[in-house]
Amino acid sequence: MPGAKYTWGGGTNTGSSGQPSGGSNTAAGASGGNISALDILNLSNSDDPEAIADLFATVTVQDADAGTQTVSFPASAIGLPTGGTATLTISGSGYNYSGTATADANGNVTFEIPLIASGSSITVSLSVKAADGTLLYSGSREQVVRGDSVQISVALTRQFWTLPASFRAVASPAGILYNPATADSVTSTISVEGLDGAPAGVSYVWTDEAGSQLGTGATLTRTASEVTGGIAPADEITKTYTVTVSYTDAAGEAKTASASASVTVGLAVTLPAFTIDIEMDADGYSAALSDLTTDPDNPLYALTDLTKEFTFTAVPDTSGLPAGETFPWGTREFPAGTKFQWKITGEGDAYEPALSAEDDTDIEATVDLFGLTGGSSGTLGTTPATANTITIECTATHDYAIEDVDATAASANVFYIFIPEGFVLVEGNGSTVGHLFVCDHEVTQGEYEAYCGYGRQTLVAAASTEPYVPTDADGKGTDYPAYNVSWYDALVYCNLRSMAENLTPCYKIGGSTDPAAWSDIETGSGGKPCGPSTWDWDAVTMNTSADGYRLPTEAEWEYAAKGGPANDSYTYSGSNDIDAVAWYSSNSGDGGGSTNRKSHPVKTKEPNSAGIYDMSGNVFEWCWDASSSNRVYRGGGWNSDAEYCAVSYRGSYSPVSRNFTLGFRLVRKAD
């Protein structure tokens, strides 16, 4: 290039002639260039000590014919007073310039520099000093000058101390106790933070709300008596204290800054010692936790579900207090403002259930007993001798307590699980399947006939001539699985057995859970139901919160078939070897072959990892779920090929139909 024009400034070309806007100095021989520099950020108005990282001086190179360029910038942009100096150095590619200029009365600094050829590799440096020689800012940057318009930015680093934005006053502690015996010694200290690296000569003055001077150091200490004026507070008393910091900035100007902090004083309280009582929701049981292991009426000794709701209460112990309540020696109740932190843990401190209002004397907790044993890795006791432990801890605190008070109530052998005979406990997965008691076998003919007959019969065993009665050809005996049972038959059985065992039935039709009231739905027969063939019971509802017997959902059935939490990946329930776990078409006949096939007594093959038998083979099992107008069955039967016995297989059938390979299995809620 024959010549170039240089502008030191913000690098924004907004002038009416296409030139940068800004200062008033023009390069010799150039066509009216306007020059400015370091006017991006006025540091004298910045409280941020890191703001200097955002300050850039910019050189713009454009075509020009001048041999030299006058570069000028307002020194006041960086707080440089009159008499301060700036040194500009540009070097590289045979180019070398260094010049120092002094700020004039208008706060401007001007340099005359040679032109820079395009393609030059240069280093641009700038340093700024106060009139007394104190280095204020410095920075440099390397760049190759290319093209007709290039900008070079130099980041300037602050080299002097200024009041940081983090400057503040802090009281520690912010709340203190007023106890007549110690009011002159209990203190709060207010200190200044954020002045690290401050130069010598910074001074402090502390004042109160009335403006009275209290001290001149970097900290101020106030006793409880000084805050309250020696008067025991009926309520909290808060006083605010202000520190004024004085210092001299880089320009030699005197500066001040202020910050305030508050101290609150409250009347000291003595928290009473306390014990913990427990109350169980539906059982109406209430006792001190320490009595749980000895009280024969404790319902935790034979739980048949795994989730219980408890209410725990902190009860003040007043046995050691004097007859009158005299401060500060004791109190008979928890004073207002007392907070309680509760913690409930089980075996090995593995589980902490969610609690209701933790600040209250009474809290509620829904406790999952599987969690109290440590989750899936724990074990639930099934007899009093193997019962588990529950621990309840509570800490009472108060902002003005002389000391916190703790209570821990731990009892061994607090609970064990009563598992119904013939069932296994399957831990839920926390989302789609809850805790379940799953019958470890398919409902047998003996169990079914205790409550129901077959086909269109009354609530007694069927006559031998009834076509739906089990036969020797299909497998007959009290330990054989029940079959020829429709989906509706299974609902009747579930509710009848639940009622007989004082459990809440799960199924409701026409507003009733009693199958005897369902007979008006039947058509073509006046008899009581236990399997009519022409029902229209599509309106049946299932109460999953009831503790009675019911059919599993498909999700529950498959979860149990895979061993529950074990989530086995076997093709069949319990094994990839179908002969080990299932009676099916190739082994249910004579001598383990396929001739004269029939069902077999339950639990005569190997169980799955959850201890459940025959979830593959023997008889198909009804599930609750619908598939169009049908109901779903799972598991395969004694007359099925292997593919139908896979855990993944599902089929559906009319809910009024009966089949010699179709039975059912029971479940009960356990949470």
Side-chain angles (χ1 to χ4, degrees):
M1 287 188 304
K5 177 180 67 182
Y6 308 97
T7 301
W8 192 281
T12 303
N13 298 327
T14 58
S16 60
S17 61
Q19 303 169 30
S21 62
S24 58
N25 296 290
T26 303
S31 57
N34 296 317
I35 311 301
S36 66
L38 291 177
D39 54 0
I40 300 173
L41 179 65
N42 188 338
L43 288 179
S44 62
N45 294 329
S46 174
D47 293 326
D48 184 357
E50 305 302 326
I52 190 63
D54 295 327
L55 175 66
F56 293 92
T58 303
V59 172
T60 301
V61 180
Q62 295 178 312
D63 285 337
D65 296 327
T68 61
Q69 173 67 56
T70 300
V71 177
S72 176
F73 64 91
S76 58
I78 55 173
L80 181 62
T82 301
T85 61
T87 299
L88 175 65
T89 301
I90 304 175
S91 60
S93 298
Y95 186 94
N96 188 27
Y97 170 80
S98 180
T100 299
T102 301
D104 60 21
N106 296 319
N108 294 322
V109 179
T110 302
F111 300 94
E112 288 240 346
I113 63 174
L115 296 179
I116 307 172
S118 178
S120 300
S121 296
I122 60 172
T123 299
V124 180
S125 302
L126 180 68
S127 61
V128 180
K129 296 181 180 180
D132 62 0
T134 301
L135 179 62
L136 302 180
Y137 305 100
S138 64
S140 65
R141 183 179 176 185
E142 297 179 356
Q143 183 170 328
V144 176
V145 178
R146 298 186 184 278
D148 292 334
S149 181
V150 178
Q151 291 185 337
I152 302 173
S153 296
V154 180
L156 299 180
T157 302
R158 190 193 304 275
Q159 303 294 337
F160 63 93
W161 184 87
T162 189
L163 186 71
S166 57
F167 162 62
R168 63 173 184 164
V170 178
S172 180
I176 56 177
L177 308 177
Y178 185 93
N179 184 331
T182 60
D184 292 329
S185 58
V186 176
T187 62
S188 175
T189 298
I190 308 101
S191 57
V192 175
E193 292 186 354
L195 296 186
D196 295 342
V202 175
S203 63
Y204 311 87
V205 175
W206 293 91
T207 56
D208 60 16
E209 294 169 338
S212 301
Q213 182 172 320
L214 303 176
T216 58
T219 62
L220 176 70
T221 299
R222 303 301 284 167
T223 67
S225 288
E226 288 173 328
V227 175
T228 65
I231 301 173
D235 297 309
E236 293 181 348
I237 294 178
T238 300
K239 292 293 179 65
T240 299
Y241 300 94
T242 300
V243 60
T244 299
V245 177
S246 300
Y247 64 100
T248 301
D249 69 4
E253 297 181 10
K255 300 284 188 179
T256 61
S258 298
S260 299
S262 297
V263 178
T264 301
V265 176
L267 188 64
V269 298
T270 302
L271 297 176
F274 65 98
T275 57
I276 299 174
D277 283 0
I278 181 174
E279 181 177 349
M280 196 181 310
D281 56 350
D283 300 281
Y285 178 82
S286 181
L289 189 65
S290 58
D291 296 332
L292 285 178
T293 57
T294 58
D295 189 341
D297 296 324
N298 172 18
L300 285 175
Y301 269 134
L303 290 175
T304 52
D305 60 54
L306 296 182
T307 303
K308 281 290 183 182
E309 292 184 2
F310 300 92
T311 299
F312 300 103
T313 305
V315 180
D317 180 4
T318 61
S319 59
L321 298 180
E325 182 178 318
T326 306
F327 177 84
W329 296 282
T331 179
R332 293 186 171 276
E333 300 294 338
F334 293 111
T338 303
K339 300 179 179 64
F340 300 87
Q341 183 175 0
W342 292 87
K343 182 179 181 182
I344 304 174
T345 53
E347 303 284 294
D349 293 340
Y351 173 74
E352 295 184 30
L355 304 175
S356 62
E358 295 189 31
D359 287 348
D360 294 342
T361 54
D362 293 353
I363 60 106
E364 295 177 354
T366 299
V367 179
D368 183 335
L369 301 187
F370 257 121
L372 289 173
T373 66
S376 59
S377 62
T379 57
L380 284 166
T382 56
T383 67
T386 61
N388 303 89
T389 299
I390 183 174
T391 301
I392 296 94
E393 301 171 89
C394 181
T395 300
T397 63
H398 193 286
D399 289 343
Y400 303 112
I402 293 175
E403 62 179 351
D404 297 337
V405 180
D406 298 313
T408 299
S411 300
N413 299 333
V414 169
F415 61 84
Y416 68 93
I417 294 298
F418 172 75
I419 300 177
E421 184 178 359
F423 285 73
V424 297
L425 178 59
V426 178
E427 180 187 358
N429 59 16
S431 56
T432 58
V433 177
H435 304 321
L436 284 175
F437 293 122
V438 180
C439 191
D440 67 1
H441 60 277
E442 294 159 330
V443 173
T444 66
Q445 295 171 19
E447 291 171 331
Y448 187 75
E449 292 169 6
Y451 301 98
C452 289
Y454 291 93
R456 194 183 303 278
Q457 298 292 320
T458 58
L459 308 185
V460 295
S464 60
T465 58
E466 168 60 45
Y468 295 109
V469 170
T471 64
D472 290 332
D474 295 330
K476 181 179 179 180
T478 57
D479 293 334
Y480 282 72
Y483 52 86
N484 283 332
V485 175
S486 74
W487 186 80
Y488 292 129
D489 294 336
L491 303 191
V492 172
Y493 175 84
C494 288
N495 273 25
L496 289 175
R497 180 168 171 178
S498 297
M499 293 164 60
E501 297 182 17
N502 295 316
L503 303 174
T504 302
C506 294
Y507 300 113
K508 180 180 289 188
I509 299 175
S512 176
T513 58
D514 184 357
W518 300 348
S519 59
D520 59 346
I521 301 173
E522 179 186 2
T523 60
S525 173
K528 299 300 182 182
C530 211
S533 60
T534 56
W535 288 337
D536 179 15
W537 286 4
D538 291 339
V540 61
T541 59
M542 179 173 68
N543 178 9
T544 56
S545 298
D547 61 358
Y549 298 103
R550 61 177 175 85
L551 298 177
T553 65
E554 268 202 278
E556 291 169 341
W557 187 95
E558 186 165 326
Y559 183 73
K562 292 182 177 180
N567 195 27
D568 297 332
S569 59
Y570 301 126
T571 301
Y572 312 103
S573 181
S575 178
N576 287 325
D577 179 6
I578 187 173
D579 288 295
V581 295
W583 294 111
Y584 72 115
S585 61
S586 295
N587 69 4
S588 62
D590 295 342
S594 59
T595 303
N596 298 323
R597 293 175 293 200
K598 63 180 181 180
S599 63
H600 286 257
V602 299
K603 300 175 65 171
T604 51
K605 288 291 186 179
E606 294 297 319
N608 67 11
S609 58
I612 307 173
Y613 296 82
D614 298 318
M615 294 202 79
S616 288
N618 220 3
V619 291
F620 284 100
E621 301 175 12
W622 285 113
C623 293
W624 163 256
D625 303 70
S627 177
S628 187
S629 60
N630 292 336
R631 293 287 172 163
V632 172
Y633 59 77
R634 303 291 293 265
W638 56 266
N639 202 35
S640 305
D641 291 338
E643 63 186 279
Y644 300 104
C645 297
V647 170
S648 60
Y649 176 77
R650 71 190 296 265
S652 66
Y653 204 47
S654 169
V656 301
S657 299
R658 303 180 179 89
N659 187 277
F660 55 86
T661 64
L662 183 53
F664 66 107
R665 182 186 303 270
L666 301 177
V667 298
R668 285 178 57 188
K669 69 179 288 291
D671 55 11

